[in-house]
Amino acid sequence: MNRCPIKALALAAVFTCGGLVAHATEGELAIYANGESLATEGFVAPQRTRDGWELRFDHIFVTVSDVVALQTDPPYDAEAGGEPVAKVSTPLEPAGPRTVDLTEADEDGRVLLGTVPAPVGHYNAVSWSVVPAIEGEWAGTSVVFVGTAVRGDETVEFILTSADSQSHVCGEFVGDGRKGFVTAGDRAELELTFHLDHVFGRQDKGAEDPMNANARGFDAFAGGGTQPIDLTDLHIGHVGEGHCAITSH
């Protein structure tokens, strides 16, 4: 009988006598972007914009960069801000800008940004940036809304472009279930969530809602065509309903 040397047995999580096998302390992490139903279905009654427009989107292009999944201890508190204390950092490669269309979503409303091999553990934080694209049709823009707005008898075709840059550091995903638990040989998920109601507001939330106080609405863009939109100081990026510390550049 052939026997493995003692040294090989000690490393059985990594090697067999025949050669390299999968590392027993690694799984896979899939990272998604999600504009939720407001991206795929639009702002439709009763969820019109704060000033009463129905919006439907042909495209919502968002360019993200430097996405890094984190295992932090203590858990990152986005309300307090500051730098996370990361014991494991797993970047999504390549790190450079990638542009996705939030309207081209799967059945769960998500767009896959990419997958990456990841050490096991709970990824309870994630950081990323929204930055201007460096190539393609929308080079120089970080977020582009293309669609149609309707209010009463008025119909407006619009393209709204932003070149704003924002850095996000977010804590644990908050939703119907927890995310980010990587186990050996298995796949876990994280999500970058974009809350579009923080851009346009929501009529069903009422005028006194703090979100509506800051949201742009659509009246300012009712002239149609291509116009700039200022997204600075809007809390668009989330992880589900979980908050992020956001810095505008």
Side-chain angles (χ1 to χ4, degrees):
M1 179 187 298
N2 293 330
R3 296 182 180 273
C4 291
I6 292 176
K7 183 177 181 180
L9 290 172
L11 297 176
V14 182
F15 291 94
T16 66
C17 293
L20 186 67
V21 296
H23 199 292
T25 58
E26 192 172 85
E28 187 176 60
L29 192 59
I31 303 178
Y32 293 86
N34 190 346
E36 303 181 304
S37 62
L38 291 177
T40 56
E41 299 174 21
F43 286 72
V44 295
Q47 296 180 353
R48 298 183 180 92
T49 68
R50 71 173 192 179
D51 37 20
W53 290 86
E54 290 196 353
L55 305 182
R56 296 185 185 275
F57 300 103
D58 299 313
H59 305 284
I60 302 173
F61 298 108
V62 178
T63 300
V64 298
S65 183
D66 301 309
V67 181
V68 183
L70 306 168
Q71 297 182 27
T72 63
D73 186 15
Y76 183 69
D77 183 353
E79 298 289 347
E83 294 296 321
V85 180
K87 59 182 183 178
V88 176
S89 298
T90 300
L92 183 62
E93 301 290 351
R98 64 189 73 200
T99 301
V100 296
D101 185 348
L102 297 180
T103 69
E104 295 184 351
D106 63 17
E107 63 274 11
D108 296 316
R110 308 174 307 173
V111 180
L112 181 65
L113 293 172
T115 59
V116 61
V120 299
H122 181 204
Y123 289 84
N124 58 351
V126 60
S127 64
W128 83 91
S129 295
V130 173
V131 300
I134 58 176
E135 59 185 9
E137 180 182 2
W138 300 108
T141 65
S142 53
V143 181
V144 180
F145 300 97
V146 182
T148 304
V150 176
R151 187 173 64 183
D153 295 331
E154 191 172 5
T155 299
V156 177
E157 305 289 333
F158 64 85
I159 300 174
L160 307 181
T161 66
S162 170
D164 300 321
S165 297
Q166 295 179 320
S167 299
H168 302 69
V169 184
C170 315
E172 183 178 351
F173 176 89
V174 177
D176 293 336
R178 301 178 74 187
K179 293 182 181 290
F181 290 91
V182 174
T183 56
D186 207 352
R187 174 170 167 161
E189 299 177 351
L190 284 180
E191 179 183 298
L192 318 183
T193 314
F194 296 88
H195 285 194
L196 303 186
D197 47 3
H198 286 251
V199 180
F200 298 105
R202 286 258 300 275
Q203 192 175 50
D204 60 316
K205 292 286 188 180
E208 301 305 317
D209 190 280
M211 177 183 63
N212 281 332
N214 296 318
R216 307 297 186 237
F218 191 79
D219 276 347
F221 312 106
T226 300
Q227 302 183 54
I229 183 170
D230 181 5
L231 300 180
T232 56
D233 303 320
L234 297 182
H235 197 101
I236 304 169
H238 290 68
V239 277
E241 295 301 321
H243 286 179
C244 303
I246 301 178
T247 304
S248 296
H249 303 287

